[in-house]
Amino acid sequence: MIRKLYTVLAFAGLFCSVAVAETHTAARPNMIVILADDLGYGDLGCTGSKQIPTPSIDRLAKEGVFCSRAYVTAPMCAPSRMGLLTGRFPKRYGITTNPNSKVDYLPESHYGLPLTEKLIPEYLKPFGYRSAVFGKWHLGHTKGFTPPERGFTHWWGFLGGSRDYFPRKKEIEGLNPSAIESNFTDKTGITYLTDDITGRAVEFLNEAKQDKKPFFMFVSYNAPHWPMQAKPEDIALFKNIQNRERRLYCAMVYAMDKGIGRILDTLKKDGLDGNTMVVFLSDNGGAPEAPSCNAPFRGHKRLHFEGGVRVPFIIKYPADKRLVPGSVCKQPVSTVDLLPALLKANGAEIPKNLDGMDILSLVGNRTGEVPRTMFWCTDYTSAVMDGDLKYLLVPDRAPQCYRVSNDYQEQKDLYFQNPALAVPLAQKLGSYLTETPACRYPDSIQWSSKLLKEYSRAARPEVQPGK
């Protein structure tokens, strides 16, 4: 019943009910960001999955607010994480793709998040915060670009974009280093990586209870990103699913959900629940090469259709009574809105160069939708969403324009029907593309060609697989 309720509300376009209350508490607020990797939008109980039970994430939605129009800053891993941690759209600092392939004329340091950018931990340090990241980094692996050098006091994980979930004999190097490393412990061996990331997060919370300092914790799971690897006992729970890869994928999501349950339980047990913002989301849509499900949307990872950039997003913060537990909010929000919320909660001004707004004010707003403009740029493709209109540019075809508020499956292209509608968006996107730097590192021709083919194949919205 709960599953059906969340699915219906998420797409009915209802604003959440809100109550007027004071936002701040006496103590500085904590924040936990729990990030899934390549999670399909429809692969949660609260978003309609018929195959994967996710009681912990569903519980978080019941205790918090589900944002039905939530967006990441890029439909792929590295730029998406950069936008979240900087509060800025990644093309503003020349990032439009993952560091997929090395070119001879660029040093490896060029493939990281530019050092000109300031990250959430660096903003929070003057307020006495401890900041931790556990899991996947993917924002630079050379000297000067690692988590401890970007403001994080606690780091345990791997610097690349993917790795095995079980121990491996030899680790990968280059642009995708897979070795587990840490700046606070010598215990870098793994059992099953999803469980190990959860364990580090639980340990950090137990420490936070003792030292009483405010904290920002980034739980950066690599699940359910490729490779498809799961524990036998979890796989056995999905033996009714015939497709082997889908069976593994479901088991990986299930394991992550169990880990999230441990984190939520520890938060409550340690008495940190009331003053902690907990945010759950995915870094982008499910990947086409994985057996994920992005229903009810069109598109997937790497594409600017809703299936690539619109993600399940839940925020819980008991200290702010404007956020009504169990409600659904259709106000457009973005990952760039997290940093401004933390700054405002600490009484600091929000820098004008940030693209975000205070997410607590947005979600707690009861006066109507706040106009937003969001930009995406991947390789040679780009898009802008202004209000409820989205304009897409893919280089081998005509522009596309959709009113995503009521055509969230992007099936009614308005460009030829009403070209004038697209003119203001084309101007905004043109200005954005020409006033921001080109990509710091190019992608391969093969990758760019593959991307265009993916746009052609993603013609219809995805549907939920049966039980």
Side-chain angles (χ1 to χ4, degrees):
M1 183 65 185
I2 291 174
R3 179 183 302 176
K4 184 178 292 185
L5 176 63
Y6 280 106
T7 305
V8 171
L9 288 179
F11 304 112
L14 298 180
F15 280 97
C16 48
S17 301
V18 293
V20 179
E22 292 295 323
T23 303
H24 307 304
T25 59
R28 298 192 185 279
N30 308 308
M31 178 181 278
I32 300 174
V33 175
I34 303 172
L35 190 69
D37 193 357
D38 289 6
L39 175 70
Y41 193 99
D43 286 325
L44 303 174
C46 58
T47 57
S49 178
K50 301 174 183 178
Q51 293 184 329
I52 313 174
T54 54
S56 300
I57 297 170
D58 295 352
R59 166 183 143 203
L60 185 61
K62 188 177 180 181
E63 296 175 352
V65 178
F66 185 96
C67 298
S68 65
R69 282 192 66 190
Y71 295 89
V72 288
T73 58
M76 60 179 63
C77 306
S80 176
R81 284 167 165 74
M82 292 180 186
L84 188 156
L85 290 173
T86 63
R88 282 161 44 86
F89 298 137
K91 192 175 185 297
R92 295 211 187 276
Y93 36 91
I95 302 294
T96 65
T97 188
N98 279 340
N100 294 314
S101 55
K102 173 78 169 62
V103 293
D104 294 339
Y105 57 84
L106 289 176
E108 288 196 16
S109 60
H110 214 69
Y111 289 80
L113 172 61
L115 298 179
T116 54
E117 299 304 307
K118 194 173 179 180
L119 277 63
I120 289 178
E122 296 169 296
Y123 281 102
L124 295 180
K125 186 177 180 180
F127 304 110
Y129 278 73
R130 296 197 313 162
S131 296
V133 55
F134 304 121
K136 174 175 172 175
W137 180 239
H138 210 195
L139 306 183
H141 62 283
T142 57
K143 183 176 176 55
F145 293 84
T146 65
E149 297 168 295
R150 304 307 295 263
F152 284 96
T153 58
H154 290 65
W155 152 241
W156 187 98
F158 63 101
L159 294 171
S162 64
R163 63 153 289 134
D164 287 351
Y165 290 77
F166 296 104
R168 53 179 297 135
K169 293 181 180 179
K170 185 177 181 181
E171 299 296 347
I172 299 172
E173 298 180 354
L175 291 181
N176 185 36
S178 64
I180 300 295
E181 56 180 58
S182 174
N183 72 331
F184 66 89
T185 179
D186 294 330
K187 298 177 181 179
T188 55
I190 65 172
T191 55
Y192 181 66
L193 190 52
T194 301
D195 295 343
D196 301 322
I197 292 170
T198 298
R200 300 292 84 75
V202 168
E203 290 170 2
F204 180 81
L205 289 177
N206 289 333
E207 292 176 9
K209 176 187 176 182
Q210 300 300 324
D211 68 23
K212 302 186 185 306
K213 292 181 180 179
F215 65 83
F216 169 73
M217 182 170 72
F218 184 26
V219 185
S220 183
Y221 286 112
N222 57 317
H225 190 290
W226 180 90
M228 299 291 104
Q229 297 174 347
K231 295 182 294 183
E233 60 267 33
D234 291 338
I235 299 171
L237 297 173
F238 301 93
K239 59 184 178 182
N240 61 307
I241 298 175
Q242 293 185 354
N243 182 290
R244 179 182 178 275
E245 293 293 293
R246 176 67 181 176
R247 190 161 60 243
L248 289 169
Y249 175 91
C250 292
M252 294 166 73
V253 175
Y254 177 76
M256 180 179 66
D257 183 79
K258 284 193 298 182
I260 292 170
R262 284 187 61 196
I263 293 171
L264 297 177
D265 289 344
T266 303
L267 196 63
K268 189 162 290 187
K269 176 179 67 70
D270 289 348
L272 301 168
D273 183 65
N275 193 42
T276 300
M277 301 180 211
V278 180
V279 179
F280 169 81
L281 72 157
S282 177
D283 62 347
N284 44 250
E289 58 270 17
S292 56
C293 174
N294 292 311
F297 301 124
R298 174 187 183 185
H300 46 71
K301 178 181 180 178
R302 296 190 287 273
L303 308 188
H304 298 141
F305 292 128
E306 296 290 274
V309 295
R310 187 161 163 173
V311 297
F313 187 107
I314 303 165
I315 181 167
K316 174 190 172 186
Y317 184 34
D320 192 330
K321 302 306 178 186
R322 295 175 299 178
L323 276 59
V324 178
S327 60
V328 176
C329 184
K330 84 154 199 178
Q331 164 65 45
V333 299
S334 168
T335 51
V336 295
D337 299 330
L338 297 177
L339 172 57
L342 279 170
L343 291 174
K344 187 175 180 181
N346 281 284
E349 291 187 6
I350 300 174
K352 293 182 179 179
N353 71 327
L354 297 188
D355 288 302
M357 303 171 68
D358 171 20
I359 196 167
L360 296 176
S361 297
L362 289 168
V363 176
N365 169 52
R366 61 173 183 152
T367 60
E369 187 174 306
V370 178
R372 302 297 302 274
T373 301
M374 300 180 192
F375 297 98
W376 298 276
C377 185
T378 300
D379 205 358
Y380 300 106
T381 67
S382 55
V384 59
M385 185 176 69
D386 192 34
D388 65 348
L389 282 175
K390 187 160 74 169
Y391 176 80
L392 289 87
L393 280 180
V394 181
D396 66 343
R397 65 205 68 186
Q400 302 167 64
C401 186
Y402 302 97
R403 193 176 296 279
V404 293
S405 57
N406 54 29
D407 180 24
Y408 57 82
Q409 295 185 315
E410 295 168 296
Q411 294 298 289
K412 300 174 184 177
D413 188 351
L414 304 174
Y415 183 75
F416 291 108
Q417 176 185 330
N418 188 358
L421 199 65
V423 171
L425 284 84
Q427 292 173 337
K428 286 190 176 185
L429 182 58
S431 296
Y432 177 74
L433 295 176
T434 56
E435 293 171 3
T436 52
C439 188
R440 287 169 57 85
Y441 45 83
D443 228 325
S444 67
I445 295 174
Q446 292 81 1
W447 182 270
S448 301
S449 300
K450 180 175 180 287
L451 187 63
L452 298 185
K453 293 176 183 177
E454 288 181 3
Y455 269 99
S456 298
R457 286 193 291 264
R460 308 299 301 174
E462 296 188 13
V463 296
Q464 280 287 350
K467 292 183 179 180

mmCIF file with all atom_site columns, all heavy atoms in Angstrom, residues 9-24:
data_model
loop_
_atom_site.group_PDB
_atom_site.id
_atom_site.type_symbol
_atom_site.label_atom_id
_atom_site.label_alt_id
_atom_site.label_comp_id
_atom_site.label_asym_id
_atom_site.label_entity_id
_atom_site.label_seq_id
_atom_site.pdbx_PDB_ins_code
_atom_site.Cartn_x
_atom_site.Cartn_y
_atom_site.Cartn_z
_atom_site.occupancy
_atom_site.B_iso_or_equiv
_atom_site.pdbx_formal_charge
_atom_site.auth_seq_id
_atom_site.auth_comp_id
_atom_site.auth_asym_id
_atom_site.auth_atom_id
_atom_site.pdbx_PDB_model_num
ATOM 1   N N   . LEU A 1 9  ? 1.683  9.448  -5.777  1.00 0.00 ? 9  LEU A N   1
ATOM 2   C CA  . LEU A 1 9  ? 1.904  10.840 -5.391  1.00 0.00 ? 9  LEU A CA  1
ATOM 3   C C   . LEU A 1 9  ? 3.060  11.461 -6.135  1.00 0.00 ? 9  LEU A C   1
ATOM 4   O O   . LEU A 1 9  ? 3.028  12.627 -6.519  1.00 0.00 ? 9  LEU A O   1
ATOM 5   C CB  . LEU A 1 9  ? 2.169  10.924 -3.879  1.00 0.00 ? 9  LEU A CB  1
ATOM 6   C CG  . LEU A 1 9  ? 0.973  10.679 -2.964  1.00 0.00 ? 9  LEU A CG  1
ATOM 7   C CD1 . LEU A 1 9  ? 1.425  10.786 -1.510  1.00 0.00 ? 9  LEU A CD1 1
ATOM 8   C CD2 . LEU A 1 9  ? -0.153 11.650 -3.239  1.00 0.00 ? 9  LEU A CD2 1
ATOM 9   N N   . ALA A 1 10 ? 4.112  10.658 -6.373  1.00 0.00 ? 10 ALA A N   1
ATOM 10  C CA  . ALA A 1 10 ? 5.307  11.202 -7.011  1.00 0.00 ? 10 ALA A CA  1
ATOM 11  C C   . ALA A 1 10 ? 5.026  11.747 -8.391  1.00 0.00 ? 10 ALA A C   1
ATOM 12  O O   . ALA A 1 10 ? 5.673  12.682 -8.849  1.00 0.00 ? 10 ALA A O   1
ATOM 13  C CB  . ALA A 1 10 ? 6.392  10.117 -7.091  1.00 0.00 ? 10 ALA A CB  1
ATOM 14  N N   . PHE A 1 11 ? 4.075  11.187 -9.089  1.00 0.00 ? 11 PHE A N   1
ATOM 15  C CA  . PHE A 1 11 ? 3.821  11.621 -10.455 1.00 0.00 ? 11 PHE A CA  1
ATOM 16  C C   . PHE A 1 11 ? 2.485  12.332 -10.611 1.00 0.00 ? 11 PHE A C   1
ATOM 17  O O   . PHE A 1 11 ? 2.103  12.692 -11.703 1.00 0.00 ? 11 PHE A O   1
ATOM 18  C CB  . PHE A 1 11 ? 3.909  10.423 -11.403 1.00 0.00 ? 11 PHE A CB  1
ATOM 19  C CG  . PHE A 1 11 ? 5.223  9.752  -11.283 1.00 0.00 ? 11 PHE A CG  1
ATOM 20  C CD1 . PHE A 1 11 ? 5.323  8.487  -10.737 1.00 0.00 ? 11 PHE A CD1 1
ATOM 21  C CD2 . PHE A 1 11 ? 6.382  10.414 -11.654 1.00 0.00 ? 11 PHE A CD2 1
ATOM 22  C CE1 . PHE A 1 11 ? 6.550  7.892  -10.596 1.00 0.00 ? 11 PHE A CE1 1
ATOM 23  C CE2 . PHE A 1 11 ? 7.603  9.816  -11.512 1.00 0.00 ? 11 PHE A CE2 1
ATOM 24  C CZ  . PHE A 1 11 ? 7.694  8.556  -10.983 1.00 0.00 ? 11 PHE A CZ  1
ATOM 25  N N   . ALA A 1 12 ? 1.777  12.538 -9.507  1.00 0.00 ? 12 ALA A N   1
ATOM 26  C CA  . ALA A 1 12 ? 0.520  13.273 -9.575  1.00 0.00 ? 12 ALA A CA  1
ATOM 27  C C   . ALA A 1 12 ? 0.772  14.766 -9.530  1.00 0.00 ? 12 ALA A C   1
ATOM 28  O O   . ALA A 1 12 ? -0.128 15.565 -9.772  1.00 0.00 ? 12 ALA A O   1
ATOM 29  C CB  . ALA A 1 12 ? -0.395 12.871 -8.419  1.00 0.00 ? 12 ALA A CB  1
ATOM 30  N N   . GLY A 1 13 ? 2.018  15.168 -9.161  1.00 0.00 ? 13 GLY A N   1
ATOM 31  C CA  . GLY A 1 13 ? 2.367  16.582 -9.148  1.00 0.00 ? 13 GLY A CA  1
ATOM 32  C C   . GLY A 1 13 ? 1.821  17.303 -7.946  1.00 0.00 ? 13 GLY A C   1
ATOM 33  O O   . GLY A 1 13 ? 1.490  18.485 -8.011  1.00 0.00 ? 13 GLY A O   1
ATOM 34  N N   . LEU A 1 14 ? 1.727  16.630 -6.801  1.00 0.00 ? 14 LEU A N   1
ATOM 35  C CA  . LEU A 1 14 ? 1.202  17.275 -5.613  1.00 0.00 ? 14 LEU A CA  1
ATOM 36  C C   . LEU A 1 14 ? 2.316  17.958 -4.851  1.00 0.00 ? 14 LEU A C   1
ATOM 37  O O   . LEU A 1 14 ? 3.400  17.417 -4.705  1.00 0.00 ? 14 LEU A O   1
ATOM 38  C CB  . LEU A 1 14 ? 0.532  16.234 -4.700  1.00 0.00 ? 14 LEU A CB  1
ATOM 39  C CG  . LEU A 1 14 ? -0.665 15.499 -5.303  1.00 0.00 ? 14 LEU A CG  1
ATOM 40  C CD1 . LEU A 1 14 ? -1.204 14.522 -4.285  1.00 0.00 ? 14 LEU A CD1 1
ATOM 41  C CD2 . LEU A 1 14 ? -1.745 16.467 -5.713  1.00 0.00 ? 14 LEU A CD2 1
ATOM 42  N N   . PHE A 1 15 ? 2.018  19.149 -4.324  1.00 0.00 ? 15 PHE A N   1
ATOM 43  C CA  . PHE A 1 15 ? 2.967  19.797 -3.429  1.00 0.00 ? 15 PHE A CA  1
ATOM 44  C C   . PHE A 1 15 ? 2.833  19.187 -2.057  1.00 0.00 ? 15 PHE A C   1
ATOM 45  O O   . PHE A 1 15 ? 1.766  18.743 -1.647  1.00 0.00 ? 15 PHE A O   1
ATOM 46  C CB  . PHE A 1 15 ? 2.696  21.308 -3.325  1.00 0.00 ? 15 PHE A CB  1
ATOM 47  C CG  . PHE A 1 15 ? 3.236  22.075 -4.489  1.00 0.00 ? 15 PHE A CG  1
ATOM 48  C CD1 . PHE A 1 15 ? 2.421  22.414 -5.555  1.00 0.00 ? 15 PHE A CD1 1
ATOM 49  C CD2 . PHE A 1 15 ? 4.566  22.419 -4.537  1.00 0.00 ? 15 PHE A CD2 1
ATOM 50  C CE1 . PHE A 1 15 ? 2.917  23.102 -6.637  1.00 0.00 ? 15 PHE A CE1 1
ATOM 51  C CE2 . PHE A 1 15 ? 5.072  23.122 -5.618  1.00 0.00 ? 15 PHE A CE2 1
ATOM 52  C CZ  . PHE A 1 15 ? 4.248  23.457 -6.659  1.00 0.00 ? 15 PHE A CZ  1
ATOM 53  N N   . CYS A 1 16 ? 3.930  19.155 -1.333  1.00 0.00 ? 16 CYS A N   1
ATOM 54  C CA  . CYS A 1 16 ? 3.845  18.630 0.010   1.00 0.00 ? 16 CYS A CA  1
ATOM 55  C C   . CYS A 1 16 ? 3.142  19.635 0.912   1.00 0.00 ? 16 CYS A C   1
ATOM 56  O O   . CYS A 1 16 ? 3.246  20.839 0.745   1.00 0.00 ? 16 CYS A O   1
ATOM 57  C CB  . CYS A 1 16 ? 5.247  18.337 0.542   1.00 0.00 ? 16 CYS A CB  1
ATOM 58  S SG  . CYS A 1 16 ? 6.431  19.655 0.305   1.00 0.00 ? 16 CYS A SG  1
ATOM 59  N N   . SER A 1 17 ? 2.407  19.109 1.906   1.00 0.00 ? 17 SER A N   1
ATOM 60  C CA  . SER A 1 17 ? 1.792  19.954 2.903   1.00 0.00 ? 17 SER A CA  1
ATOM 61  C C   . SER A 1 17 ? 2.885  20.431 3.827   1.00 0.00 ? 17 SER A C   1
ATOM 62  O O   . SER A 1 17 ? 3.793  19.687 4.174   1.00 0.00 ? 17 SER A O   1
ATOM 63  C CB  . SER A 1 17 ? 0.750  19.155 3.698   1.00 0.00 ? 17 SER A CB  1
ATOM 64  O OG  . SER A 1 17 ? -0.235 18.660 2.830   1.00 0.00 ? 17 SER A OG  1
ATOM 65  N N   . VAL A 1 18 ? 2.814  21.674 4.245   1.00 0.00 ? 18 VAL A N   1
ATOM 66  C CA  . VAL A 1 18 ? 3.862  22.210 5.100   1.00 0.00 ? 18 VAL A CA  1
ATOM 67  C C   . VAL A 1 18 ? 3.249  22.990 6.240   1.00 0.00 ? 18 VAL A C   1
ATOM 68  O O   . VAL A 1 18 ? 2.112  23.435 6.182   1.00 0.00 ? 18 VAL A O   1
ATOM 69  C CB  . VAL A 1 18 ? 4.817  23.150 4.308   1.00 0.00 ? 18 VAL A CB  1
ATOM 70  C CG1 . VAL A 1 18 ? 5.598  22.358 3.302   1.00 0.00 ? 18 VAL A CG1 1
ATOM 71  C CG2 . VAL A 1 18 ? 4.043  24.249 3.613   1.00 0.00 ? 18 VAL A CG2 1
ATOM 72  N N   . ALA A 1 19 ? 4.011  23.157 7.281   1.00 0.00 ? 19 ALA A N   1
ATOM 73  C CA  . ALA A 1 19 ? 3.573  23.947 8.423   1.00 0.00 ? 19 ALA A CA  1
ATOM 74  C C   . ALA A 1 19 ? 4.642  24.976 8.723   1.00 0.00 ? 19 ALA A C   1
ATOM 75  O O   . ALA A 1 19 ? 5.830  24.726 8.557   1.00 0.00 ? 19 ALA A O   1
ATOM 76  C CB  . ALA A 1 19 ? 3.354  23.042 9.641   1.00 0.00 ? 19 ALA A CB  1
ATOM 77  N N   . VAL A 1 20 ? 4.254  26.154 9.141   1.00 0.00 ? 20 VAL A N   1
ATOM 78  C CA  . VAL A 1 20 ? 5.191  27.223 9.439   1.00 0.00 ? 20 VAL A CA  1
ATOM 79  C C   . VAL A 1 20 ? 5.891  26.919 10.749  1.00 0.00 ? 20 VAL A C   1
ATOM 80  O O   . VAL A 1 20 ? 5.252  26.617 11.747  1.00 0.00 ? 20 VAL A O   1
ATOM 81  C CB  . VAL A 1 20 ? 4.461  28.578 9.529   1.00 0.00 ? 20 VAL A CB  1
ATOM 82  C CG1 . VAL A 1 20 ? 5.450  29.679 9.861   1.00 0.00 ? 20 VAL A CG1 1
ATOM 83  C CG2 . VAL A 1 20 ? 3.757  28.877 8.222   1.00 0.00 ? 20 VAL A CG2 1
ATOM 84  N N   . ALA A 1 21 ? 7.213  26.973 10.745  1.00 0.00 ? 21 ALA A N   1
ATOM 85  C CA  . ALA A 1 21 ? 7.970  26.706 11.963  1.00 0.00 ? 21 ALA A CA  1
ATOM 86  C C   . ALA A 1 21 ? 9.352  27.288 11.821  1.00 0.00 ? 21 ALA A C   1
ATOM 87  O O   . ALA A 1 21 ? 9.789  27.641 10.724  1.00 0.00 ? 21 ALA A O   1
ATOM 88  C CB  . ALA A 1 21 ? 8.065  25.207 12.213  1.00 0.00 ? 21 ALA A CB  1
ATOM 89  N N   . GLU A 1 22 ? 10.087 27.378 12.943  1.00 0.00 ? 22 GLU A N   1
ATOM 90  C CA  . GLU A 1 22 ? 11.461 27.831 12.902  1.00 0.00 ? 22 GLU A CA  1
ATOM 91  C C   . GLU A 1 22 ? 12.328 26.755 12.261  1.00 0.00 ? 22 GLU A C   1
ATOM 92  O O   . GLU A 1 22 ? 12.128 25.560 12.466  1.00 0.00 ? 22 GLU A O   1
ATOM 93  C CB  . GLU A 1 22 ? 11.967 28.119 14.318  1.00 0.00 ? 22 GLU A CB  1
ATOM 94  C CG  . GLU A 1 22 ? 11.294 29.335 14.963  1.00 0.00 ? 22 GLU A CG  1
ATOM 95  C CD  . GLU A 1 22 ? 11.636 30.616 14.243  1.00 0.00 ? 22 GLU A CD  1
ATOM 96  O OE1 . GLU A 1 22 ? 12.793 30.738 13.786  1.00 0.00 ? 22 GLU A OE1 1
ATOM 97  O OE2 . GLU A 1 22 ? 10.762 31.485 14.127  1.00 0.00 ? 22 GLU A OE2 1
ATOM 98  N N   . THR A 1 23 ? 13.319 27.179 11.475  1.00 0.00 ? 23 THR A N   1
ATOM 99  C CA  . THR A 1 23 ? 14.153 26.230 10.745  1.00 0.00 ? 23 THR A CA  1
ATOM 100 C C   . THR A 1 23 ? 15.327 25.735 11.579  1.00 0.00 ? 23 THR A C   1
ATOM 101 O O   . THR A 1 23 ? 15.685 24.575 11.536  1.00 0.00 ? 23 THR A O   1
ATOM 102 C CB  . THR A 1 23 ? 14.700 26.908 9.472   1.00 0.00 ? 23 THR A CB  1
ATOM 103 O OG1 . THR A 1 23 ? 13.602 27.373 8.703   1.00 0.00 ? 23 THR A OG1 1
ATOM 104 C CG2 . THR A 1 23 ? 15.514 25.926 8.645   1.00 0.00 ? 23 THR A CG2 1
ATOM 105 N N   . HIS A 1 24 ? 15.941 26.592 12.334  1.00 0.00 ? 24 HIS A N   1
ATOM 106 C CA  . HIS A 1 24 ? 17.224 26.273 12.940  1.00 0.00 ? 24 HIS A CA  1
ATOM 107 C C   . HIS A 1 24 ? 17.097 25.712 14.345  1.00 0.00 ? 24 HIS A C   1
ATOM 108 O O   . HIS A 1 24 ? 16.143 25.976 15.066  1.00 0.00 ? 24 HIS A O   1
ATOM 109 C CB  . HIS A 1 24 ? 18.111 27.519 12.976  1.00 0.00 ? 24 HIS A CB  1
ATOM 110 C CG  . HIS A 1 24 ? 18.258 28.170 11.634  1.00 0.00 ? 24 HIS A CG  1
ATOM 111 N ND1 . HIS A 1 24 ? 18.727 27.495 10.538  1.00 0.00 ? 24 HIS A ND1 1
ATOM 112 C CD2 . HIS A 1 24 ? 17.970 29.417 11.215  1.00 0.00 ? 24 HIS A CD2 1
ATOM 113 C CE1 . HIS A 1 24 ? 18.744 28.317 9.494   1.00 0.00 ? 24 HIS A CE1 1
ATOM 114 N NE2 . HIS A 1 24 ? 18.278 29.470 9.883   1.00 0.00 ? 24 HIS A NE2 1
#
